[in-house]
């Protein structure tokens, strides 16, 4: 390790040494060629056509690469941040409330996120343009282009004397990197763009203050540091780059570096005071949510978070090196919990520890590598902390700022490797490598942008790589249902409904308490399949999962309509409407439905006794018989349950749940050969399901077939290991 460190620290002159020898704005001799001349301005001169040309080039690259998102619709989190945000929809009138509420106030989630600036910009857009996703997308792209300008200015100030090409090359590669598609194409992620833009304006002002000594720049850096914090709390780690710059670039002592960073610290402190006053607490209420927080008990064993931190550290490096495939969602169970027996987790731990040690030691030596490493580690910490502290998932937006540190480090390392080559060779390799990276980056970005056009396109595209994501399955199913509801062609509508139900079934199989899926499954059965019993079954499943108040209100309202319209049970319908209003008092549909029943003298507050399913004489489908069989088995009527599950299999011969329950019923009746037969049938249909193997371990033990029992037991162990159990 000492040899590597010696190469990194001593094989080049530090930034400050270069400043002393060449002057802060002296270009290297490589500018003798025409391409070098135009791509490396001699100084920061705002009247210099070359310098202005570079600024314009940077802006145009950032703007044009993402310009094909301008005609996109609201996508993903845009619904919660804009379409369902009543404060945003009030325009100017909602700004006061925005300044006092959590980011996800209208989604009934209190995560302690205080990011009012992006919501204020949405409110301003709503004031002038109403519901206008194209305007919002345009502004995202515009802000991203402006971010590129200030990134270039900061890099120019810091690295131009070290290498004339670095500021432009790194800025262009940063703007083109496809990992940024989520940030720019998802309007809600404007908080990321605003945070980045404000932080780099503040850093630019900080550098100007250090160079000129003019106190005006202190006011500028303070203002934009504060705006950066109002954009997103993670701006804090970006602002901490300022003392690093003071220590590494301006040769200040550690204490002096902290002192000159005081305006940043005051801005950060002011933000947290404001947040405490606005939200009443700095504590977050983290929901027990396996979808977004899958690495904590009771979902997994204690201690799963720690290896996942380093798994995501190396996984992020992988996406920075090879940004494919990209996804909008990495939630449960797209990335299953792993231990340090996973190569990515083990490698991530080694890289993190070694990288952190090098970052500290090289910073103390003021090496040219220290600033890129500092930027990378400081900006990656919030995402790793999200997993370590909350058991949260990975997201591509977490790599927005780390991309900069990654590219800076790579460029500097590449330059040092090539420094023994002659000037002509270095020039050819440099621009060849730039083209080799920029062209595929730009092409991939433009192509990935298209996927974010609307929810259906995004969810369907990413389902190809997200079949293990319960969230992706549910999202796609919902959008297929939306398509079906808007479709007038009967055949197309049936196709959409079929793919919707298929993905809903998969999602609840992965996550049996997925309330969001159950309520939509109820809607499909009620409105399109015309099966009230199945609709009622799924609405009750949704309620039993204890979702948010808004969803409970909707589920109870739908349940009431199913009882009223399909079963003519007005008493139970009245009870459901009252329950709906108990969770959402202003739910207009429930108010109207309740009041209409009041007019005929029905206003049921307590839950009435519902008729037993076995006495129901209406249409009976597979779901009806499955629930009936499940109830019968629960009461010990295994023969009756067998008859009900066989009815299910007449309608759906490959129903996994019916086959498993049927096999279990025969096992409970001590008909072990029949149970074995059914479990073997399941194994042929579903070879990757571990449950029939486990069942046959018991069955063969009961009939005294020890050899078969051991064979099944070995298979269970093999499958358990294969599943990471």
């Amino acid at each position: 390790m000492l040899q590597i460190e010696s190469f990194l620290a001593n094989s080049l002159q530090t930034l400050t040494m270069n400043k002393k020898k060449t002057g802060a704005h002296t270009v290297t001799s490589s500018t003798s060629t025409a391409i070098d001349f135009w791509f490396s301005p001699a100084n920061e001169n705002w009247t210099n056509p070359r310098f202005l040309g570079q600024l314009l080039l940077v802006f145009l690259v950032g703007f044009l690469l993402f310009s094909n998102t301008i005609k996109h619709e609201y996508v993903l989190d845009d619904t919660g941040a804009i379409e369902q945000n009543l404060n945003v929809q009030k325009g100017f009138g909602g700004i006061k409330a925005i300044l006092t509420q959590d980011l996800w106030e209208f989604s009934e989630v209190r995560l302690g996120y205080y990011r009012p600036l992006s919501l204020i910009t949405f409110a301003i857009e709503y004031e002038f343009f109403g519901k206008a996703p194209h305007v919002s997308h345009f502004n995202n792209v515009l802000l991203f282009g402006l971010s590129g300008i200030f990134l270039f200015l900061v890099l120019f100030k810091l690295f131009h004397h070290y290498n004339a090409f670095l500021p432009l090359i790194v800025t262009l590669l940063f703007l083109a990197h496809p990992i940024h598609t989520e940030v720019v194409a998802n309007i809600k992620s404007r908080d990321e763009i605003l945070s980045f833009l404000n932080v780099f304006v503040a850093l630019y002002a900080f550098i100007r203050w250090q160079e000129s000594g003019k106190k005006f720049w202190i006011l500028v850096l303070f203002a934009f540091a504060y705006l950066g914090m109002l954009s997103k709390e993670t701006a804090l780690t970006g602002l901490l780059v300022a003392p690093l710059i003071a220590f590494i670039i301006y040769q200040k002592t550690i204490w002096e570096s902290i002192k000159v960073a005081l305006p940043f610290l005051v801005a950060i402190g002011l933000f947290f005071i404001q947040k405490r006053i606005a939200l009443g607490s700095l504590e977050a209420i983290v929901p027990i949510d396996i979808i977004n927080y899958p690495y904590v008990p009771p979902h997994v064993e204690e201690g799963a978070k720690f290896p996942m931190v380093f798994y995501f550290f190396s996984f992020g490096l992988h996406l920075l090196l090879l940004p494919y495939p990209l996804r909008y969602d990495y939630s449960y169970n797209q990335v299953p919990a792993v231990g340090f027996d996973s190569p990515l987790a083990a490698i991530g731990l080694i890289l993190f520890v070694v990288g952190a040690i090098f970052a500290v030691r090289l910073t103390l030596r003021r090496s040219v590598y220290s600033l890129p490493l500092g930027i990378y580690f400081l900006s990656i910490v919030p995402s790793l902390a999200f997993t370590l502290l909350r058991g949260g998932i990975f997201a591509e937006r977490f790599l927005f700022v780390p991309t900069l540190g990654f590219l800076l480090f790579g460029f500097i390392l590449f330059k040092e490797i090539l420094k023994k080559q002659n000037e002509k060779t270095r020039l050819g390799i440099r621009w060849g490598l730039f083209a080799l990276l920029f062209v595929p980056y730009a092409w991939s970005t433009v192509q990935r942008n298209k996927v974010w056009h609307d929810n259906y396109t995004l969810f369907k595209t990413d389902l190809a790589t997200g079949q293990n994501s319960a969230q992706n399955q549910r999202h796609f199913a919902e959008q297929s249902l939306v398509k079906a509801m808007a479709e007038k062609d009967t055949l197309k509508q049936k196709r959409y409904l079929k793919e919707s139900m298929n993905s809903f079934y998969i999602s609840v199989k992965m996550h049996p308490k997925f309330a969001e899926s159950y309520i939509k499954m109820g809607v499909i059965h009620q409105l399109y399949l015309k099966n009230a019993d199945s609709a009622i079954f799924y609405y009750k499943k949704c309620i039993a999962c204890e979702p948010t108040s808004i969803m409970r209100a909707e589920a109870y309202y739908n349940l009431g309509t199913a009882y009223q319209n399909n079963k003519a049970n007005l008493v139970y319908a009245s009870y459901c409407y009252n329950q709906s209003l108990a969770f959402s008092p202003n739910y207009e549909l429930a108010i109207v439905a309740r009041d209409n029943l009041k007019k005929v003298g029905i206003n049921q507050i307590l839950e009435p006794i519902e008729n037993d399913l076995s006495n129901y004489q209406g249409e009976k489908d597979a779901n009806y018989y499955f629930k009936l069989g499940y109830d019968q088995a629960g009461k010990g009527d295994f023969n009756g349950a067998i008859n009900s599950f066989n009815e299910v299999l007449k309608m759906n011969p490959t129903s996994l749940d019916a086959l498993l329950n049927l096999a279990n019923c025969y096992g409970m009746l001590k008909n072990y050969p029949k149970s074995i037969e059914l479990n073997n049938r399941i194994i042929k249909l579903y070879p990757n399901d571990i449950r029939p193997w486990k069942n046959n371990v018991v069955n063969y033990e009961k009939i005294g077939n020890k050899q078969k029992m051991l064979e099944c037991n070995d298979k269970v162990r093999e499958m358990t290991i294969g599943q990471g159990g």
Side-chain angles (χ1 to χ4, degrees), residues 65-259:
L65 281 177
F66 288 91
S67 60
N68 62 338
T69 67
I70 293 174
K71 293 185 178 181
H72 289 185
E73 304 299 328
Y74 290 128
V75 180
L76 204 60
D77 291 335
D78 296 344
T79 299
I82 302 172
E83 290 187 289
Q84 295 177 352
N85 193 311
L86 300 182
N87 291 333
V88 167
Q89 294 169 23
K90 293 176 183 177
F92 291 152
I95 292 177
K96 183 178 179 180
I98 288 172
L99 288 167
T100 63
Q101 293 179 351
D102 189 282
L103 174 66
W104 299 115
E105 181 71 23
F106 291 99
S107 298
E108 291 192 35
V109 179
R110 308 290 189 275
L111 296 175
Y113 294 161
Y114 185 61
R115 304 170 188 174
L117 188 59
S118 59
L119 295 182
I120 289 172
T121 65
F122 300 151
I124 294 171
E125 290 168 352
Y126 221 94
E127 177 72 27
F128 289 106
F129 303 101
K131 184 178 179 180
H134 307 327
V135 172
S136 297
H137 280 296
F138 175 86
N139 287 333
N140 263 28
V141 178
L142 179 66
L143 289 168
F144 185 67
L146 290 174
S147 298
I149 288 178
F150 280 95
L151 170 60
F152 172 74
L153 288 173
V154 170
L155 294 183
F156 182 85
K157 285 286 189 182
L158 297 179
F159 291 100
H160 178 248
H161 61 279
Y162 169 71
N163 183 277
F165 299 97
L166 184 148
L168 186 61
I169 286 179
V170 171
T171 300
L172 294 179
L173 289 177
F174 176 85
L175 293 172
H177 203 294
I179 202 72
H180 302 327
T181 304
E182 177 188 5
V183 170
V184 185
N186 189 194
I187 300 170
K188 175 266 163 193
S189 289
R190 184 178 298 174
D191 52 7
E192 298 278 0
I193 303 174
L194 286 172
S195 172
F196 185 90
L197 174 59
N198 285 314
V199 165
F200 273 84
V201 174
L203 291 176
Y204 178 71
F206 174 75
I207 295 169
R208 292 295 299 268
W209 171 41
Q210 293 303 302
E211 289 182 349
S212 67
K214 294 181 180 179
K215 294 182 179 180
F216 162 78
W217 292 108
I218 300 178
L219 297 175
V220 175
L221 76 86
F222 174 82
F224 282 94
Y226 174 65
L227 289 174
M229 293 298 297
L230 288 178
S231 303
K232 190 172 183 180
E233 299 91 335
T234 52
L236 184 152
T237 57
L239 298 175
L240 293 180
V241 172
L244 273 181
I245 292 173
F247 180 77
I248 297 167
I249 306 299
Y250 298 111
Q251 292 284 287
K252 294 183 182 295
T253 65
I254 294 176
W255 175 241
E256 289 172 337
S257 300
I258 295 173
K259 284 175 64 178

Side-chain angles (χ1 to χ4, degrees), residues 290-303:
I290 193 173
I291 295 296
N292 295 300
Y293 305 93
Y295 308 116
V296 292
H299 314 312
V300 292
E301 293 182 2
E302 190 69 47

Side-chain angles (χ1 to χ4, degrees), residues 8 159 241 244 248 313 317 351-352 354-363 367-381 402 404-410 412:
L8 294 176
F159 291 100
V241 172
L244 273 181
I248 297 167
F313 182 77
L317 283 171
L351 290 175
F352 183 88
V354 173
I357 292 172
F358 272 121
V360 173
R361 298 183 70 170
L362 293 178
T363 297
S367 164
V368 70
Y369 290 101
S370 56
L371 197 56
L373 286 172
I375 292 172
Y376 186 83
F377 276 94
L378 282 173
S379 59
I380 202 72
V381 161
L404 174 60
F406 175 81
L407 291 171
L408 274 172
F409 183 86
I412 293 172

Side-chain angles (χ1 to χ4, degrees), residues 691-723:
R691 290 172 292 180
W693 292 100
K694 287 183 176 180
N695 292 341
N696 275 348
V697 170
V698 177
N699 287 329
Y700 282 119
E701 181 184 16
K702 292 294 185 181
I703 64 175
N705 191 333
K706 188 174 181 180
Q707 181 180 349
K708 283 288 187 180
M709 182 196 74
L710 292 174
E711 288 176 4
C712 290
N713 199 44
D714 289 340
K715 184 65 177 178
V716 169
R717 290 179 181 176
E718 176 186 334
M719 295 178 76
T720 301
I721 294 172
Q723 294 174 5

Side-chain angles (χ1 to χ4, degrees), residues 440-483:
Y441 276 6
W443 184 87
S444 297
T445 293
V446 172
Q447 296 305 312
R448 180 64 183 167
N449 287 344
K450 297 176 182 178
V451 174
W452 283 80
H453 181 270
D454 54 54
N455 279 328
Y456 183 80
T457 305
L458 177 63
F459 301 155
K460 183 175 183 178
T461 302
D462 284 11
L463 197 61
T465 59
Q467 294 181 351
N468 294 325
S469 167
Q471 184 82 304
N472 199 161
Q473 294 284 358
R474 192 263 295 187
H475 280 162
F476 174 64
E478 286 185 339
Q479 290 306 306
S480 295
L481 177 57
V482 170
K483 288 279 189 182

